[in-house]
Amino acid sequence: TILVSDWSSDVCSSDLAAAVPAVLTPARVVTIVGVSSLPTCYLDRPRVNLGRVEDVTDASGRTIRHNELFFPEEAHEANPTVSRSHAHVAFDAASGDWRIFDDGSSVGTTLFRTGKRIDVPAHAGRGVALRAGDEIYLGQVRLRFELY
């Protein structure tokens, strides 16, 4: 069991952390098109970054973001459509939902839920709540969100 309160404030976004501890709902994302660093990525922390590279650096070579799930550009033809800092999945302790956020990607983030397209707005404060079976499109890369 992982409690949101077990993580330091530098790991968990303060707007998602509740005043009372909340148990993370067991969830994972499975890569179904593209090649990723983790074909099955267990969401075992309150925030998981998604992008094309493992570490995003600034002009001085300093790491400014770490992607826990990444899609190496040369590994699959769909991978170059993922931005370096594409999106993140975060646990909302207040609602108990996992939510996806587009972090300003160049091609956008989209969900398909029971055949319906749902666009994830870039830099939206609340993101979009994920449901079991949702397909997440990061450019041409496809992931499936699962509860377990």
Side-chain angles (χ1 to χ4, degrees):
T1 302
I2 302 170
L3 298 177
V4 171
S5 61
D6 290 343
W7 296 88
S8 65
S9 61
D10 64 330
V11 173
C12 181
S13 174
S14 61
D15 61 333
L16 295 177
V20 295
V23 177
L24 293 175
T25 303
R28 62 186 168 224
V29 291
V30 178
T31 302
I32 53 179
V33 173
V35 174
S36 65
S37 57
L38 298 168
T40 299
C41 178
Y42 290 89
L43 304 177
D44 61 355
R45 60 195 69 209
R47 178 181 169 132
V48 174
N49 290 327
L50 315 172
R52 189 175 65 240
V53 296
E54 183 173 13
D55 291 310
V56 179
T57 57
D58 65 12
S60 300
R62 295 176 296 216
T63 299
I64 56 173
R65 173 181 165 127
H66 177 74
N67 291 315
E68 288 79 17
L69 181 60
F70 59 96
F71 305 87
E73 188 167 348
E74 65 286 344
H76 189 274
E77 63 187 13
N79 288 16
T81 65
V82 177
S83 295
R84 294 181 321 133
S85 299
H86 198 105
H88 69 275
V89 176
F91 185 70
D92 182 342
S95 68
D97 290 329
W98 285 97
R99 304 183 78 80
I100 187 156
F101 299 80
D102 184 282
D103 295 335
S105 67
S106 59
V107 296
T109 303
T110 304
L111 298 179
F112 280 89
R113 179 179 298 153
T114 60
K116 180 181 175 188
R117 179 185 170 120
I118 303 169
D119 291 322
V120 179
H123 301 294
R126 298 256 321 134
V128 175
L130 290 165
R131 300 290 173 251
D134 282 354
E135 285 195 8
I136 302 165
Y137 282 65
L138 308 174
Q140 295 173 11
V141 164
R142 281 181 24 211
L143 310 170
R144 184 176 49 250
F145 176 76
E146 299 177 349
L147 299 175
Y148 65 94

